[in-house]
Amino acid sequence: MSSGKKIFNLSSISIIACECLQAVVCIFVDLFFISRILNNPFASVGSNIINIGLFYIINYTMVGLFYLVSGHLLKRINKSIFVSVGSIILTLVVLIVYLMGDDVLNHIPLLGVIYGLALGFFSAGFHGLTGETISSKHQVRFFAVKKGVYQLTYIIFPVTLGLIIDKLNFSFMLIILLVICVLLVMFSFFIRPKKSFGQTFNLIKFARHLKQNKEETKPLFLVYVSNFFRGASFDCFTTLITIFVMSTFKSNTSLGMFQSIFTACSLLTMVFYLKYYRKKRATKFILPTIILVACTVISILIATNETTIICFYAIYSTLNVILMSISDSRRAGVIRVLSLHSHILESNTFSELFLWLGRIISSSLIILAGFLDSYLSTDMLFLKIVLGIVAIFYIFYGISLIWVEKALIKQDEEFKKVHINEVVEKNED
């Protein structure tokens, strides 16, 4: 039996399908709903930016709180149910935006709560299922392929939804999104973990174990550190890109078109990554990414215009998939590499809490920038400063991933378990 057949069965394919279908709804919220807030004619640009930051702070807080309170349920209830409930609530988000029309802009906190609850249910179940379903020695290959398919979603749907919003009507888009939500629920029940582990949920005990075994668990701690910088940079970059593109081009179609074109380019990046990623070579992928992204941010700070914004969007969208793929595979794989299978729930909670902290910090910066730009009547000056700060977070995100890779290389035997080209004995599947 080929390696590909071992990896890509109905469960693993369903994992990919769930993430891609959920991404379509998130494209709608993170791109087009945010652009709707930004284009609210009854408020200043600064006030609209404050509302965007508020929406994400509430959203991220709900996700973090959900992970804290749901751990004991996750070890008793089928995680597919969590994914399905999250999918249903995502459908509710779409319906609220549709039914409330322009009045939805007066209920941004409420939508942030519901959207955060939806993502909390979905991601808590989804990450748990992924950790149990994909064996550690297949992590790198699986997550690279999953990221490639995920990128296809961002090629097709941003421009499609943008055209529907600008040229057709919201009712037609609602039908598409409802069909997608139904498919999402269906696929969630096709995920069958390859092996169930006797799981626990005791954050204090797990934290004590990490502290008492610092040397052995160092790669896992570094994964959490990288998640903090990921939360402080990746999600905020996406929001900032939307704000700058809509402020410059003022078109949902343009926003969707740029996302689709540059995501198509990122597929070439993933092919290159899959072909040439080898042990001890992560630095050669990560360093060029963070350097080029930082350079394009500097160009925006020097001169904010259509050219610099497009350059930033192109470089970031094309290269960031490498960091995301490495980050995703390490979050799911290191806990098993260290033979801490029973602590997947605690590890996922710590990962989300570190992500939450980073996201809260960057979202708070957006709110502060919106307030200062509005109060001082500046042309998004402070928002550009936030872009520079987030770029620094992004550099540390890349550096922390290099630290993770180096820590794994030190534990050479464990590293071989997750590398796609190493031949290892089957000891857990």
Side-chain angles (χ1 to χ4, degrees), residues 53 56-57 60-61 228-229 231-233 236 353-369 386 389-390 393:
Y56 279 114
I57 281 185
Y60 298 144
T61 299
F228 166 78
F229 288 114
S233 59
C236 192
L353 290 177
F354 274 82
L355 276 169
W356 169 81
L357 182 59
R359 288 164 171 170
I360 291 297
I361 290 174
S362 57
S363 297
S364 298
L365 290 175
I366 289 179
I367 290 179
L368 180 61
V386 170
I389 295 172
V390 172
F393 286 145

Side-chain angles (χ1 to χ4, degrees), residues 51-98:
N51 283 330
I52 291 172
L54 179 64
F55 172 77
Y56 279 114
I57 281 185
I58 294 172
N59 166 27
Y60 298 144
T61 299
M62 288 301 300
V63 174
L65 289 175
F66 185 85
Y67 265 87
L68 281 176
V69 302
S70 66
H72 293 289
L73 294 176
L74 280 165
K75 70 179 183 180
R76 295 184 178 91
I77 300 175
N78 188 333
K79 296 178 183 65
S80 296
I81 295 176
F82 280 78
V83 176
S84 298
V85 171
S87 305
I88 292 169
I89 302 176
L90 278 173
T91 308
L92 181 61
V93 171
V94 176
L95 286 172
I96 290 174
V97 174
Y98 172 72

Side-chain angles (χ1 to χ4, degrees), residues 215-216 218-219 222 279-280 337-338 402-416:
E215 195 62 34
E216 294 83 358
K218 183 178 179 180
L222 291 174
K279 177 181 175 181
K280 299 184 181 181
V337 168
L338 300 180
I402 294 174
W403 292 341
V404 172
E405 296 297 288
K406 288 184 176 180
L408 285 171
I409 290 170
K410 276 189 174 182
Q411 300 181 1
D412 191 63
E413 181 179 353
E414 286 80 6
F415 184 81
K416 290 178 181 179

Side-chain angles (χ1 to χ4, degrees), residues 2-273:
S2 68
S3 177
K5 290 182 179 178
K6 292 179 182 178
I7 303 174
F8 298 105
N9 52 29
L10 180 60
S11 290
S12 58
I13 291 172
S14 296
I15 287 174
I16 295 173
C18 281
E19 182 170 64
C20 292
L21 291 168
Q22 184 238 14
V24 177
V25 183
C26 291
I27 287 170
F28 165 71
V29 175
D30 294 331
L31 292 181
F32 302 115
F33 177 66
I34 295 304
S35 73
R36 190 171 179 179
I37 296 175
L38 188 64
N39 291 328
N40 180 9
F42 303 107
S44 66
V45 173
S47 297
N48 290 335
I49 291 173
I50 291 173
N51 283 330
I52 291 172
L54 179 64
F55 172 77
Y56 279 114
I57 281 185
I58 294 172
N59 166 27
Y60 298 144
T61 299
M62 288 301 300
V63 174
L65 289 175
F66 185 85
Y67 265 87
L68 281 176
V69 302
S70 66
H72 293 289
L73 294 176
L74 280 165
K75 70 179 183 180
R76 295 184 178 91
I77 300 175
N78 188 333
K79 296 178 183 65
S80 296
I81 295 176
F82 280 78
V83 176
S84 298
V85 171
S87 305
I88 292 169
I89 302 176
L90 278 173
T91 308
L92 181 61
V93 171
V94 176
L95 286 172
I96 290 174
V97 174
Y98 172 72
L99 295 174
M100 297 187 73
D102 290 335
D103 192 50
V104 74
L105 298 176
N106 297 320
H107 298 85
I108 290 173
L110 172 64
L111 202 65
V113 169
I114 299 174
Y115 188 50
L117 191 61
L119 294 182
F121 268 102
F122 183 91
S123 61
F126 182 80
H127 287 302
L129 287 172
T130 303
E132 294 175 354
T133 304
I134 309 302
S135 64
S136 55
K137 63 177 174 286
H138 293 144
Q139 294 281 341
V140 172
R141 180 178 177 84
F142 173 79
F143 279 97
V145 172
K146 181 168 76 73
K147 183 58 67 176
V149 178
Y150 182 81
Q151 295 303 96
L152 282 174
T153 306
Y154 271 84
I155 294 173
I156 298 169
F157 283 94
V159 68
T160 302
L161 294 180
L163 285 170
I164 291 172
I165 292 172
D166 284 345
K167 305 297 182 183
L168 297 176
N169 59 69
F170 197 90
S171 298
F172 184 70
M173 187 176 67
L174 176 68
I175 295 172
I176 295 175
L177 291 175
L178 289 178
V179 170
I180 286 170
C181 289
V182 170
L183 291 173
L184 187 52
V185 174
M186 290 174 56
F187 274 107
S188 69
F189 285 103
F190 292 148
I191 304 173
R192 294 289 182 268
K194 191 177 270 189
K195 184 175 182 179
S196 295
F197 305 105
Q199 295 180 350
T200 65
F201 188 77
N202 189 321
L203 290 177
I204 296 176
K205 184 177 180 181
F206 183 60
R208 191 178 298 123
H209 174 81
L210 294 178
K211 184 177 180 180
Q212 292 172 350
N213 300 273
K214 290 182 180 179
E215 195 62 34
E216 294 83 358
T217 61
K218 183 178 179 180
L220 191 57
F221 175 74
L222 291 174
V223 167
Y224 302 148
V225 172
S226 72
N227 277 353
F228 166 78
F229 288 114
R230 172 176 173 167
S233 59
F234 168 69
D235 295 293
C236 192
F237 262 151
T238 302
T239 305
L240 291 171
I241 286 172
T242 303
I243 293 172
F244 279 109
V245 170
M246 289 304 299
S247 298
T248 304
F249 296 93
K250 303 185 185 303
S251 167
N252 286 298
T253 302
S254 296
L255 180 63
M257 182 181 67
F258 289 141
Q259 180 70 65
S260 296
I261 291 173
F262 299 144
T263 302
C265 296
S266 72
L267 286 179
L268 298 177
T269 307
M270 289 309 301
V271 171
F272 182 82
Y273 168 74

